[in-house]
Amino acid sequence: MNPAVEIQKPSLLKFWGSRVISAIAAIAFCAGIQSLGGPLADNEFLYRIIVLSGLYVTLAVSLNLINGITGQFSIGHAAFYQVGAYTAGYLTVRMFSTQQIGEVPWLILMCLVGAAAAAITGLIVGLPSLRLKGDYLAIVTLGFGEIIRIIAINIDEVGGAYGLSIVPKIQSPWLIWALAILCIAVCRNLLKTAHGLPFLAVREDEVASSAMGVSTTKIKVTAFVIGSSFAGAAGALLAHYEAFITPDMFKMEVSFIVLTMVVIGGTGSITGSTVAALALFLLPEWLRGLKEANGDALVVSAPQLLGATLAIIAYIALARRVRDHYHGKPIQKAGFQFGVAAASLVLFFLFKAVFAQIGGLAGHEGWEINSLRMAIFAAVLIVIMLLRPQGVFGHHEFSWAWLKSLFVKKKQEAS
Amino acid sequence: MIDLVTSGALAGLSLDPSTLPQQLVNGLLIGAIYALIALGYTMVYGVLRLINFAHGEVFMLGAYAALFVSYGFGYTADAGDIAGGTWTLLAIMLLVSMISCAIVGAVIEFFAYRPMRNQTRIAALITAIGVSLLIQYGGQLFLPAQPPPSISEKVLPADIRGSYDFNLISPDPQLESDLAAAKTAADAADSELEKMLTDTGQREFDLEPEHPLRAAKFETIGEVRSLSAEIENSSVSVTVPRGQAVMFGTVVLLMTLLWWLVMHTRTGRAMRAASHDFDSASLMGINVNRVVTITFIIGSALAGAGAMMNATFLRTPLTPFFGFMPGVKAFVAAVLGGIGNIPGAVLGGFVMGLAETLVVWAGYGQYKDAVAFVILIVILLFRPGGLLGSSKVEKV
């Protein structure tokens, strides 16, 4: 049933060919990210966002391994991120000047150190997971995250609440994306091989899988260790990219946002986590930069906001009705959904026009888009969850075969 | 509730047994509020198996509702000389806060949680996080937050201003008479200095520190200070602001009401049935949708009562984000006591409040927010189902 479980036996040429092509594509992608720095030199903000989104991809995909693939409800991923960042940052501050190593090899070394430190933390957090299930595990991982943050606030060696500034600043955009690709590759290969089957088994039914001879303890702890080590490496890269870290960068909200990326993308789907991480990281940043035609920050007026709220509520209600009660062909259903979206857009303009007639509302000076962006982010979460609770991708992955079948089918329908 | 603890931090920089009773009382007072919020978490979890992350935000809205009522009666921050409030005003604030929270809770349940009921629990959780973020950041657009407003202390009626003082161990009478003697000596020295100053037309700060009269004054004042400190250390007293005593009484009353409602009414029986087995309860003719709505209404109303009392009697400054931390702590309290278990939530709330103040008392105030989680982890390692909860052994 799950496409991830399908095991195929390709020919040797196809097997190695696809791997070599993937590796070349990955290297080309990283080189592309690195060389984007040239053309985007005058738009530092955009380049920064593109680079940092790689970190969120790593975080989301690695949390997906724990949450989505192994089914362990962990909501404290920021803790591992923080452990990696602080360990690597502290070591760089103390030791980099005494070593005769180039910057990039040192950064790679620090990634490994951060990953190891986070993996040890993951082991410590993973151990209670042997006894706890579901929400109890969730609250314990959340608690670990807070404890680690508060400990960092109280250690003066690492800057306490003020933060730790890291000298030298080593910015390596390609490495950030290389880590993201490595994380995706590890999770994807784990799922595609027999090593991944016990992870899925533990997610589907723990009792049954232990009866089939799966060591559930070992699997859960392995998932925690792998997931947290990637988060730790991401933390190390963040510390060196920003050159300044504070405990506030690793608050509970960060864990929540990463968890949201996993669930919105579809628990268990690596493609989903990647796409959702990019989308949800870029959305607030994109909103922040929105401008009016004259270059001022975009202002949303009160009638617009009220109209949009009502139109969204109407859209959710209508779209859910179509989803649950309309049993036509998929293409017709999609058409209906499209119609509902269009109707909601019309409703929005209608509501806006009506509210604009009310003096008190029209006179309101409105809100800058910047103050609205987190509210919009939250609204997007709710809308996606209400309309597609299984996440955008569900359990599915992107695959070339699926893409091909889409086009082949279309051709058949056309003929 | 945050302020109460930080002000305690100054008093307890070391393990001082004479301040312990006061800290225990403070812990109970904070714990009562935690318990009240934790009840909402635990009831919703008991019926729906849903962590209602938006509960802290309902709490926040309740505090704002109370604030607006007090504004409506003229108790704004810049109100000049205004007569003290009445019990009626407090009752109105409490009721408005409870009712508006109940409405908000029911609305959230209907629009956000009901459509998610048959979905995976993690999807429902993300919806809850979304609602929580939406209320926080949406509230930022509409609610006054800069500077953080707090309810004027003038809303308290005259008869619950001040505080109750209890002397557990009276100070040594010898010390007290010494103190009285030292005070007269200090007054005498002071008046002598004053007299000299008026006679010579000098100001006190023009004198050199070694001036005999000035030195005498400082010596006697030092004596008074050291004696009063000694009396403070040898005696043990507890001070409870009257408003907070009223708050504690109200919390106990509300909990008793809840207990009666759950254990002795038809609705309560339906709630217990639904939390025991949701599907079977619906097969037995219980209108589970109604039960869920009522659960949200009761839980949110309790949070509203807690919010109003927190804002009025502990005078926490309000921001759209101030519900988050008490919400998380109350959730920890609910898990600590065994989530889904009503007495467990109350016990967990008090344990959390006491643990927090004791950590502050021991001089580790900076770890105040972490101790909740440390206790939680330790207890869950030994009792995976919480203090009063039972962990079910999974069978095939």
Side-chain angles (χ1 to χ4, degrees):
Chain A
M1 190 184 119
N2 195 324
V5 188
E6 270 175 38
I7 296 172
Q8 300 154 337
K9 270 199 174 170
S11 71
L12 209 61
L13 179 70
K14 211 174 162 190
F15 181 85
W16 285 110
S18 63
R19 264 144 195 78
V20 168
I21 291 173
S22 307
I24 291 173
I27 292 169
F29 184 75
C30 291
I33 290 281
Q34 182 75 12
S35 59
L36 259 182
L40 287 178
D42 53 337
N43 197 344
E44 220 171 277
F45 178 68
L46 178 65
Y47 188 54
R48 200 183 115 84
I49 300 243
I50 291 174
V51 172
L52 289 183
S53 58
L55 290 178
Y56 271 85
V57 171
T58 313
L59 286 178
V61 174
S62 59
L63 183 64
N64 184 37
L65 178 67
I66 303 175
N67 250 335
I69 296 173
T70 322
Q72 297 305 301
F73 200 175
S74 161
I75 51 176
H77 217 49
F80 308 125
Y81 194 34
Q82 180 173 23
V83 167
Y86 268 88
T87 314
Y90 182 69
L91 284 180
T92 300
V93 171
R94 292 301 296 266
M95 294 172 72
F96 179 72
S97 52
T98 63
Q99 307 295 321
Q100 306 295 321
I101 308 180
E103 284 196 341
V104 172
W106 173 264
L107 187 56
I108 295 174
L109 182 69
M110 280 303 106
C111 271
L112 294 176
V113 171
I120 293 168
T121 320
L123 192 67
I124 297 169
V125 180
L127 287 176
S129 77
L130 310 178
R131 270 174 75 81
L132 302 171
K133 288 202 178 67
D135 301 318
Y136 288 96
L137 176 63
I139 192 73
V140 163
T141 50
L142 185 79
F144 259 111
E146 274 299 281
I147 290 173
I148 287 175
R149 190 173 70 85
I150 291 168
I151 288 176
I153 291 178
N154 288 300
I155 298 179
D156 291 333
E157 275 284 279
V158 294
Y162 174 69
L164 178 67
S165 69
I166 289 134
V167 193
K169 183 176 189 170
I170 310 174
Q171 292 190 326
S172 173
W174 70 269
L175 197 57
I176 288 177
W177 273 94
L179 180 71
I181 291 172
L182 180 71
C183 184
I184 294 172
V186 166
C187 290
R188 183 256 176 209
N189 287 352
L190 189 71
L191 273 184
K192 281 277 181 180
T193 56
H195 297 294
L197 291 177
F199 289 84
L200 293 170
V202 168
R203 174 183 78 190
E204 296 301 333
D205 192 329
E206 214 181 307
V207 179
S209 60
S210 82
M212 299 302 288
V214 173
S215 165
T216 53
T217 307
K218 201 179 109 192
I219 294 299
K220 285 190 212 169
V221 173
T222 312
F224 261 102
V225 168
I226 298 177
S228 52
S229 61
F230 274 110
L237 288 173
L238 172 85
H240 290 92
Y241 190 83
E242 298 279 13
F244 187 67
I245 47 176
T246 67
D248 268 6
M249 290 161 79
F250 307 98
K251 275 184 170 174
M252 241 182 257
E253 283 91 338
V254 177
S255 299
F256 285 166
I257 286 176
V258 176
L259 177 72
T260 306
M261 289 166 176
V262 172
V263 179
I264 292 279
T267 36
S269 165
I270 297 168
T271 325
S273 300
T274 312
V275 173
L278 287 175
L280 290 185
F281 180 73
L282 296 180
L283 171 77
E285 303 299 338
W286 174 71
L287 287 174
R288 194 205 296 269
L290 277 186
K291 296 259 192 291
E292 301 247 36
N294 60 8
D296 287 347
L298 186 70
V299 171
V300 178
S301 69
Q304 277 172 335
L305 186 68
L306 269 172
T309 313
L310 288 180
I312 287 173
I313 292 173
Y315 172 65
I316 292 174
L318 288 173
R320 282 179 62 87
R321 267 200 96 70
V322 172
R323 187 193 73 188
D324 295 339
H325 300 292
Y326 182 75
H327 304 287
K329 278 184 187 165
I331 188 95
Q332 288 171 328
K333 204 165 180 172
F336 255 98
Q337 287 289 14
F338 187 76
V340 165
S344 310
L345 202 63
V346 173
L347 268 181
F348 162 64
F349 286 111
L350 207 70
F351 283 132
K352 195 182 83 175
V354 171
F355 284 124
Q357 299 305 312
I358 303 171
L361 287 176
H364 193 280
E365 78 265 23
W367 297 273
E368 279 195 12
I369 191 77
N370 195 18
S371 60
L372 278 173
R373 67 194 171 93
M374 283 311 288
I376 294 176
F377 179 85
V380 168
L381 289 192
I382 298 173
V383 170
I384 293 182
M385 277 294 104
L386 286 177
L387 294 182
R388 213 175 147 77
Q390 70 272 46
V392 175
F393 282 77
H395 271 322
H396 306 289
E397 297 287 354
F398 168 82
S399 72
W400 295 110
W402 170 77
L403 204 66
K404 214 161 106 185
S405 74
L406 213 65
F407 282 104
V408 170
K409 241 189 217 165
K410 267 188 185 159
K411 267 179 202 159
Q412 279 172 348
E413 274 170 7
S415 63
Chain B
M1 71 188 65
I2 284 94
D3 280 337
L4 194 71
V5 180
T6 39
S7 61
L10 299 173
L13 281 169
S14 61
L15 291 176
D16 179 0
S18 67
T19 55
L20 181 59
Q22 178 71 55
Q23 294 295 347
L24 289 178
V25 168
N26 288 352
L28 283 180
L29 288 169
I30 300 170
I33 297 287
Y34 284 153
L36 216 49
I37 314 174
L39 280 171
Y41 274 111
T42 221
M43 285 166 64
V44 167
Y45 188 90
V47 174
L48 280 186
R49 302 282 178 273
L50 165 78
I51 303 175
N52 180 12
F53 258 108
H55 198 60
E57 275 56 57
V58 172
F59 175 79
M60 177 272 287
L61 290 177
Y64 269 100
L67 178 79
F68 289 139
V69 173
S70 77
Y71 279 2
F73 279 83
Y75 293 93
T76 46
D78 48 359
D81 221 8
I82 189 165
T86 56
W87 286 95
T88 329
L89 172 64
L90 286 186
I92 292 174
M93 281 164 70
L94 185 69
L95 278 181
V96 169
S97 182
M98 286 174 80
I99 291 170
S100 43
C101 280
I103 293 172
V104 170
V107 166
I108 292 176
E109 192 275 326
F110 185 80
F111 283 107
Y113 298 154
R114 186 165 297 186
M116 302 303 290
R117 205 175 288 163
N118 296 323
Q119 305 299 340
T120 53
R121 287 176 44 205
I122 194 163
L125 180 83
I126 296 294
T127 315
I129 291 177
V131 172
S132 158
L133 288 176
L134 186 66
I135 297 180
Q136 280 177 10
Y137 288 97
Q140 205 183 16
L141 303 178
F142 300 104
L143 298 173
Q146 282 302 330
S150 54
I151 292 179
S152 164
E153 57 194 344
K154 291 183 186 130
V155 297
L156 295 185
D159 45 350
I160 57 169
R161 302 221 178 135
S163 56
Y164 296 113
D165 296 304
F166 305 97
N167 269 326
L168 300 183
I169 300 174
S170 301
D172 193 351
Q174 177 64 40
L175 280 175
E176 287 213 316
S177 58
D178 283 359
L179 179 67
K183 267 184 183 158
T184 33
D187 286 345
D190 190 41
S191 56
E192 203 170 325
L193 180 68
E194 283 295 318
K195 187 162 168 286
M196 193 276 287
L197 289 176
T198 42
D199 286 352
T200 58
Q202 283 172 303
R203 281 177 305 164
E204 183 175 351
F205 293 102
D206 296 338
L207 300 175
E208 70 271 26
E210 293 82 23
H211 191 279
L213 284 178
R214 206 173 171 209
K217 181 189 164 190
F218 281 123
E219 198 177 313
T220 45
I221 288 180
E223 181 80 359
V224 169
R225 280 200 190 133
S226 71
L227 273 173
S228 15
E230 208 172 319
I231 286 179
E232 206 160 272
N233 286 338
S234 70
S235 70
V236 178
S237 68
V238 173
T239 306
V240 184
R242 291 186 187 198
Q244 291 177 23
V246 171
M247 173 184 93
F248 193 79
T250 318
V251 171
V252 172
L253 183 75
L254 285 171
M255 283 174 183
T256 323
L257 254 172
L258 177 74
W259 183 249
W260 171 79
L261 190 102
V262 171
M263 299 310 285
H264 296 284
T265 60
R266 276 178 73 86
T267 315
R269 201 189 304 164
M271 278 166 67
R272 279 182 288 145
S275 84
H276 191 73
D277 190 331
F278 196 79
D279 296 328
S280 306
S282 75
L283 291 177
M284 293 295 138
I286 292 173
N287 184 348
V288 283
N289 280 335
R290 202 174 134 255
V291 168
V292 170
T293 308
I294 290 176
T295 309
F296 267 88
I297 286 177
I298 295 175
S300 306
L302 290 177
M308 176 267 168
M309 290 189 285
N310 185 12
T312 311
F313 299 120
L314 301 178
R315 305 201 61 240
T316 315
L318 310 184
T319 71
F321 302 97
F322 105 102
F324 184 72
M325 221 39 214
V328 169
K329 283 182 186 166
F331 173 54
V332 170
V335 177
L336 190 67
I339 193 156
N341 183 315
I342 289 179
V346 176
L347 177 68
F350 283 120
V351 168
M352 288 276 306
L354 285 175
E356 252 184 52
T357 44
L358 286 184
V359 166
V360 173
W361 172 71
Y364 295 96
Q366 66 270 38
Y367 289 102
K368 180 168 73 76
D369 289 339
V371 70
F373 294 106
V374 173
I375 292 178
L376 176 82
I377 290 170
V378 170
I379 287 184
L380 285 189
L381 286 182
F382 292 101
R383 281 191 65 84
L387 282 175
L388 299 186
S390 58
S391 67
K392 288 174 204 138
V393 177
E394 210 173 318
K395 289 179 190 151
V396 183

